[in-house]
Amino acid sequence: MSSSDRQRIERVKGSRRAKLTPAPGTGAEPIPGDETTNAAPRAGDAASAPSGPNDERLKRDVPPHY
């Protein structure tokens, strides 16, 4: 693996954080499909789990700092 096959660290003047170049074979922007999906919930999700006797109350409950 040569050094050109890796991400590089770019210093950003006036910033405390550095910036990474895109990894080889990828783009700089995220894929729009990763942001939101219209897929149905999976079987392991909490929304599809059986509800207990206090679930509705817990869903309506608001913490005191709100």
Side-chain angles (χ1 to χ4, degrees):
M1 177 187 263
S2 67
S3 63
S4 64
D5 293 342
R6 299 183 65 179
Q7 288 179 298
R8 291 185 317 278
I9 299 171
E10 296 178 352
R11 295 189 184 264
V12 179
K13 188 170 182 154
S15 177
R16 294 178 64 176
R17 296 182 182 248
K19 184 175 140 183
L20 284 174
T21 59
T26 63
E29 296 298 317
I31 298 171
D34 287 348
E35 294 171 6
T36 58
T37 60
N38 295 333
R42 295 187 309 258
D45 289 344
S48 64
S51 62
N54 297 324
D55 285 353
E56 277 305 313
R57 180 177 175 197
L58 287 171
K59 289 177 186 177
R60 288 190 319 258
D61 218 7
V62 178
H65 65 276
Y66 274 16

